[in-house]
Amino acid sequence: MEYHFKLPGSKDEIKKLHIGDVIYVTGKIFTARDEAHHMMLEKDKSSLPFDPSEMALFHCGPLMKKENNKWKVVSAGPTTSSRMEIFEDKFIEKFGINIIIGKGGMGKRTEKALQKYICVYTSYTGGAGALAADKVEEVPGVYWLEELGMPEAAWIFKVKEFGPLVVAIDSHGESIYRNLKK
Amino acid sequence: MNFDDIKQGIVKLIRKAETELPSDVIKALKNANKIEEGVAKTQIEAILKNIDLAKNTKRPMCQDTGIQTFFVTVGINFPYISKLKDLITYAVKIATKEVPLRPNTVDPFTGENHKDNTGDNVPYITWDFTEGSDVHITALPKGGGSENMSKLGMLKPGVGLEGVKDFVVDEMIKAAGNPCPPTVVGVGIGGGADLAMKLGKKALLRPVGDRHKNKTIAAMEEELIKRINDSGIGPMGLGGKTTVLDVHIEKAHRHPASLPVGIAVQCWADRRANMIIHSDGSWEVK
């Protein structure tokens, strides 16, 4: 099935999704890789400069360029999600994430958290950075750029019809990656 | 001698590598698109669209513009050998701003990002020497996701070539969707540990579809392609027929007690570009 979503998506909408479905999302997403995960988990949710629960989480370290004092996305495909396995379950619980966008898949701890907190892990084509950048309409903000550098900072993107995102691990305990290992 | 012009040539080399995929890789991806269906096909289609878009808009195809890696073969009669390393390094700094490239060089001790893609031992240059007066440079920007799936196996010689094949297939199945399949896999067999890894990386320089001229090695390449693709991992690890676009093997003689196997993995964005610099300073980027 193919779905077109307004972010962040309700729990009911997330429950409808099953592995193999393809979705396109419109709204706000934020990037977080290893360092941003680490940093955000050490902070209080209320002290964050943005509300992660209103957005999809994008495993991405984008290539950005400043033009006329405004940030523009040059290339922004997903990074390898398995690096975030060590903290993703806590991250989903703490920040109320509904949709994760990454590549390569995640492990058992994340699978359980997706089920418990009603969230999906979706795969965006790795390396398709130019295509992804094309779907970003605006960059409303960036946080911790000085401390973490361009790839690791938390970037906020306003996206339109961002996809195709393949639902690879759903909220019903199913995983494309686990099925393939059998 | 107009060194600025050579520097601009190297910037053009980097830009070409980052924004245009070699035709052999595109051909292999188009073949994959013909045989895949369902989710696997959506992935190859997105990749092909992305390649077109990157080329037409002169943007890096992947946000991970990699560690700048060069293989340089120097004609020993080239008059400015001593300038080459600095020219490449400066060109990387210029390319970081102009292409642009993602700042990808981080000090492992302080965590500081050098912001211009240079740093200790980076750009990483492999030097070789030959007769003549031309310099040949191949740019092979190497992304982190695929590099993280590199493997070194110090196998027991008793396992033989069957053991070598099993090792490569097992490691690629373990890597699953992480290195952005369909990948190109370089395998170095023999030498010591460092040489096996180096040969694996060098094997990635061969065009996709090119078979080793040694028939035994060519047959092993074909067998590995088949076995890895039969795993069903598929594009991005979401299932499908195409997990590797190619497997290239290079060998070196080994110590009787050692059977090193080095695996270098390249994502579908098998970025390569070539440049020749002549002794009068003129150059071509191909």
Side-chain angles (χ1 to χ4, degrees):
Chain A
M1 291 286 280
E2 187 178 304
Y3 296 93
H4 297 257
F5 256 84
K6 282 246 163 22
L7 290 169
S10 67
K11 296 286 175 203
D12 282 343
E13 283 174 305
I14 300 298
K15 274 188 203 163
K16 268 193 242 164
L17 299 173
H18 293 271
I19 53 169
D21 287 343
V22 172
I23 64 172
Y24 292 81
V25 298
T26 297
K28 277 188 191 168
I29 62 181
F30 72 100
T31 69
R33 305 189 358 151
D34 318 55
E35 299 285 340
H37 271 77
H38 190 86
M39 188 176 235
M40 286 172 71
L41 280 171
E42 283 186 350
K43 290 180 189 290
D44 281 337
K45 194 183 171 189
S46 56
S47 72
L48 290 179
F50 63 97
D51 183 358
S53 62
E54 288 176 353
M55 309 177 195
L57 159 63
F58 187 18
H59 295 154
C60 169
L63 167 55
M64 308 292 294
K65 192 181 185 178
K66 212 169 197 176
E67 263 176 10
N68 303 325
N69 234 10
K70 262 187 155 176
W71 283 108
K72 287 194 82 173
V73 187
V74 181
S75 199
T79 194
T80 311
S81 299
S82 56
R83 295 199 315 273
M84 271 56 81
E85 177 69 12
I86 48 173
F87 18 56
E88 204 71 301
D89 52 353
K90 291 187 210 108
F91 201 85
I92 294 166
E93 180 183 1
K94 183 165 180 180
F95 299 115
I97 306 292
N98 279 359
I99 298 178
I100 300 170
I101 305 164
K103 70 151 174 106
M106 302 195 72
K108 276 196 190 125
R109 276 174 58 183
T110 304
E111 274 178 37
K112 276 190 190 153
L114 295 177
Q115 228 179 331
K116 190 168 174 193
Y117 302 103
I118 316 295
C119 175
V120 285
Y121 172 83
T122 66
S123 167
Y124 184 75
T125 313
L131 197 63
D134 223 34
K135 307 283 183 188
V136 181
E137 292 187 307
E138 221 188 295
V139 184
V142 56
Y143 302 98
W144 311 304
L145 179 59
E146 277 311 305
E147 302 100 294
L148 304 180
M150 186 192 291
E152 300 288 341
W155 295 89
I156 315 289
F157 295 158
K158 216 177 131 206
V159 298
K160 194 173 181 184
E161 290 287 309
F162 190 83
L165 308 174
V166 177
V167 176
I169 312 173
D170 62 24
S171 63
H172 311 284
E174 292 296 323
S175 159
I176 287 185
Y177 310 103
R178 192 159 32 80
N179 290 350
L180 277 170
K181 275 187 193 160
K182 280 176 194 165
Chain B
M1 176 54 48
N2 188 347
F3 290 117
D4 272 340
D5 184 60
I6 297 178
K7 227 183 283 171
Q8 282 309 319
I10 302 170
V11 172
K12 188 176 174 185
L13 171 77
I14 297 168
R15 177 179 280 119
K16 187 173 164 70
E18 297 283 359
T19 60
E20 291 179 43
L21 217 46
S23 58
D24 52 274
V25 185
I26 295 177
K27 191 178 153 198
L29 286 164
K30 284 186 173 164
N31 286 339
N33 197 33
K34 279 181 205 153
I35 60 165
E36 293 291 0
E37 47 200 29
V39 165
K41 198 175 175 70
T42 64
Q43 301 305 300
I44 303 289
E45 279 172 353
I47 288 170
L48 288 170
K49 255 191 231 170
N50 182 67
I51 291 168
D52 273 348
L53 187 65
K55 188 181 176 185
N56 295 337
T57 57
K58 294 194 175 356
R59 268 191 279 179
M61 61 190 86
C62 180
Q63 75 291 339
D64 183 359
T65 48
I67 286 285
Q68 294 301 312
T69 306
F70 300 91
F71 291 82
V72 184
T73 304
V74 183
I76 51 171
N77 295 319
F78 183 76
Y80 310 103
I81 294 176
S82 65
K83 297 275 187 194
L84 284 169
K85 189 177 176 188
D86 282 350
L87 286 171
I88 292 171
T89 305
Y90 282 127
V92 166
K93 292 183 187 189
I94 297 168
T96 300
K97 283 192 187 141
E98 287 186 1
V99 175
L101 308 177
R102 194 175 71 181
N104 266 356
T105 44
V106 178
D107 185 305
F109 283 85
T110 64
E112 184 207 359
N113 189 320
H114 220 265
K115 291 189 175 160
D116 63 5
N117 280 299
T118 70
D120 297 336
N121 294 303
V122 181
Y124 179 44
I125 308 172
T126 300
W127 300 96
D128 203 354
F129 296 89
T130 186
E131 297 289 328
S133 58
D134 287 344
V135 174
H136 292 254
I137 307 178
T138 299
L140 184 91
K142 192 67 183 57
S146 58
E147 189 69 9
N148 285 347
M149 297 298 117
S150 310
K151 269 279 140 53
L152 172 70
M154 299 303 288
L155 307 188
K156 292 181 173 57
V159 302
L161 290 174
E162 287 306 316
V164 171
K165 288 187 271 187
D166 289 347
F167 174 68
V168 176
V169 173
D170 288 351
E171 288 302 329
M172 285 306 95
I173 289 173
K174 267 191 241 163
N178 289 301
C180 282
T183 55
V184 179
V185 178
V187 183
I189 304 174
D194 55 339
L195 182 53
M197 291 307 294
K198 191 80 191 188
L199 288 171
K201 187 67 71 73
K202 273 189 156 177
L204 297 176
L205 298 175
R206 277 164 52 197
V208 170
D210 179 62
R211 288 279 65 77
H212 201 283
K213 58 183 187 291
N214 176 319
K215 280 190 182 144
T216 309
I217 297 176
M220 192 195 276
E221 289 174 346
E222 276 168 7
E223 185 185 337
L224 288 174
I225 294 167
K226 186 171 184 311
R227 282 178 62 184
I228 298 169
N229 282 339
D230 283 348
S231 70
I233 289 165
M236 297 301 144
L238 296 168
K241 300 183 180 88
T242 323
T243 306
V244 286
L245 297 174
D246 211 341
V247 176
H248 295 307
I249 301 172
E250 296 296 336
K251 69 162 167 125
H253 281 62
R254 60 175 177 83
H255 186 283
S258 309
L259 178 51
V261 181
I263 305 176
V265 191
Q266 179 65 299
C267 52
W268 65 258
D270 180 16
R271 292 163 284 186
R272 283 176 272 126
N274 296 296
M275 178 183 190
I276 299 175
I277 309 171
H278 303 292
S279 59
D280 63 356
S282 62
W283 51 263
E284 296 129 51
V285 169
K286 289 181 200 166

